[in-house]
Amino acid sequence: MTEPDEQLLEGLLSGKHRALARTISKIENRSPGYRDLVSELYAHTGEADVIGITGSPGAGKSTLVDKLAETYRDRGETVGIIAIDPSSPFTGGAVLGDRIRMASTVGDMDVFVRSMSARGTLGGLSTATADAVKAMDAFGKDKIIIETVGAGQNEIDIVRTADTVGVLVPPGSGDSIQTLKAGILEIADVFVVNKADRPGADRTVKELREMIDLGEGSGFGGGDGHHGPDAGSATDHGSGEPADDESSGETTWRPPIVETVATKGEGIDDLLSEFRNHQTYLEESGERAEHARKRYAEEIRTLLREDANSLLEDELQRAGGIEAVAEAVRTGETDPYAVADELLEPVEDCLERLETERMAGNRSR
């Protein structure tokens, strides 16, 4: 690393919020040297609980996150919040600024809030978000909360970044619960019926419970999801706890349903209790380690995709740029498949040479 980056890392690890802010800016902007900086952060991570909050627009995510942070602070824990906003089509920056609805902890230096841009990525989470989580973890935040843009089923990416995922479902969701069943609802470790003082809350809880019960044994939330096939409900609907899956003999997590009224702070203690229960389950079942392996595997794949894309962009520029190549396709001189093959050919040749050299080296030993 360069000397300025070493000083930045030293400042972050010593608990300076200005250094944390500058580090996240460097990460988000993909400034020169950011990769070396993030690499150094890994050795200092793994202590924070990472909680994802997602759900449909208007479900009250920002207000709930504000109350969660306030309650954690009352308990003496430090908090980092990453609010993922939609991207500006002009600047690529975050446009909503969810901090507007996070007023309870204004002025508290132990609550660090950062709005970041989704930058159009599927799932609403940019690669930079995972790196920003590492920065907050290395800084020493006890709890890191990620709030997503709430774009629906594409929010599944949050599973790869968060240890525990809370999905907000507003009262009166009705048929939309079934519509979302194949996507966003399946990633929940805890269901949150926020604005529970409004009409329709009881019906929404009932529909969620029925959906979960029907899903048992049919693949809901199982397999590659965030929890096993057993599911259930909470608060007055049964506390979330490990449950035995009779078909496999394994212990799985039974997602609870918690009713909250975030504007009044109601149900927040129950929600934090369920988050804690899930974190305990992750530790005792070994699921936390499994989640970490999957998360790192996905990070590696993502970095490889980004690097390969960058290499191919360079090849594309050498071929005259995308506009020239697209024009050649339009006029019938070539086709997209032939263009892709031509761009990949030098990369494939290079990989073949490396493989040949490696095999020759192994034979000489």
Side-chain angles (χ1 to χ4, degrees):
M1 288 196 303
T2 63
E3 185 175 345
D5 285 348
E6 289 178 354
Q7 293 174 352
L8 191 60
L9 177 64
E10 183 180 345
L12 182 149
L13 296 178
S14 63
K16 295 179 180 178
H17 283 90
R18 184 182 295 273
L20 175 58
R22 289 176 57 202
T23 298
I24 294 177
S25 292
K26 190 178 184 74
I27 288 170
E28 188 172 22
N29 295 330
R30 289 338 210 192
S31 300
Y34 86 91
R35 292 180 72 146
D36 291 334
L37 184 57
V38 174
S39 292
E40 291 294 326
L41 294 176
Y42 271 87
H44 306 279
T45 61
E47 296 301 320
D49 291 321
V50 184
I51 299 165
I53 300 294
T54 188
S56 58
K61 296 184 294 296
S62 295
T63 304
L64 180 69
V65 168
D66 182 46
K67 293 301 181 184
L68 291 175
E70 183 181 18
T71 307
Y72 278 132
R73 288 298 298 128
D74 289 343
R75 298 179 179 185
E77 296 178 291
T78 59
V79 182
I81 299 171
I82 299 176
I84 308 297
D85 291 337
S87 312
S88 164
F90 303 105
T91 66
V95 297
L96 284 183
D98 277 328
R99 281 173 285 191
I100 294 170
R101 293 179 292 280
M102 297 180 186
S104 296
T105 54
V106 169
D108 186 345
M109 289 300 293
D110 284 318
V111 177
F112 184 90
V113 183
R114 180 65 177 247
S115 291
M116 296 184 69
S117 165
R119 296 182 186 263
T121 57
L122 274 178
L125 281 174
S126 65
T127 308
T129 303
D131 293 339
V133 168
K134 293 180 188 66
M136 289 188 177
D137 191 355
F139 182 88
K141 294 298 183 185
D142 298 312
K143 307 291 181 181
I144 301 171
I145 304 173
I146 307 170
E147 181 206 335
T148 72
V149 290
Q153 294 188 14
N154 287 335
E155 297 306 307
I156 292 173
D157 272 3
I158 199 173
V159 172
R160 300 190 182 105
T161 303
D163 300 315
T164 299
V165 177
V167 173
L168 270 67
V169 184
S173 295
D175 293 338
S176 65
I177 289 179
Q178 292 302 317
T179 303
L180 291 172
K181 178 180 177 182
I184 192 172
L185 292 182
E186 293 194 6
I187 71 175
D189 296 306
V190 179
F191 291 105
V192 185
V193 179
N194 193 32
K195 305 180 182 180
D197 54 345
R198 294 188 178 183
D202 291 343
R203 178 186 172 189
T204 299
V205 170
K206 180 175 179 291
E207 289 174 343
L208 279 171
R209 186 189 300 119
E210 291 173 349
M211 180 199 71
I212 294 169
D213 291 341
L214 285 172
E216 291 186 6
S218 65
F220 169 73
D224 293 330
H226 217 218
H227 42 70
D230 277 302
S233 34
T235 309
D236 287 331
H237 318 296
S239 179
E241 57 185 17
D244 291 328
D245 178 7
E246 295 180 2
S247 62
S248 65
E250 297 178 353
T251 299
T252 59
W253 173 251
R254 192 175 176 86
I257 303 171
V258 181
E259 294 183 61
T260 62
V261 183
T263 53
K264 301 177 182 177
E266 296 177 5
I268 301 300
D269 287 336
D270 291 332
L271 181 56
L272 294 189
S273 176
E274 295 300 350
F275 286 163
R276 186 169 58 252
N277 289 342
H278 182 254
Q279 289 149 12
T280 300
Y281 161 75
L282 291 177
E283 291 289 350
E284 294 179 350
S285 66
E287 282 292 312
R288 185 183 291 275
E290 180 63 22
H291 286 174
R293 278 191 291 272
K294 290 180 179 178
R295 182 163 61 246
Y296 292 143
E298 186 58 32
E299 284 183 27
I300 293 168
R301 292 190 188 100
T302 299
L303 288 172
L304 288 173
R305 283 193 295 266
E306 287 184 353
D307 290 348
N309 182 66
S310 179
L311 288 172
L312 292 174
E313 284 288 340
D314 292 341
E315 285 296 315
L316 189 57
Q317 288 303 313
R318 281 191 282 271
I322 187 66
E323 293 297 332
V325 175
E327 176 63 16
V329 173
R330 188 192 69 80
T331 58
E333 298 174 33
T334 185
D335 63 83
Y337 290 95
V339 170
D341 288 341
E342 289 173 11
L343 292 174
L344 284 170
E345 186 175 357
V347 178
E348 291 173 343
D349 289 345
C350 181
L351 291 174
E352 286 179 6
R353 285 197 300 272
L354 289 172
E355 179 64 15
T356 300
E357 292 172 4
R358 185 183 65 83
M359 292 177 66
N362 288 339
R363 285 195 295 268
S364 66
R365 290 197 184 100

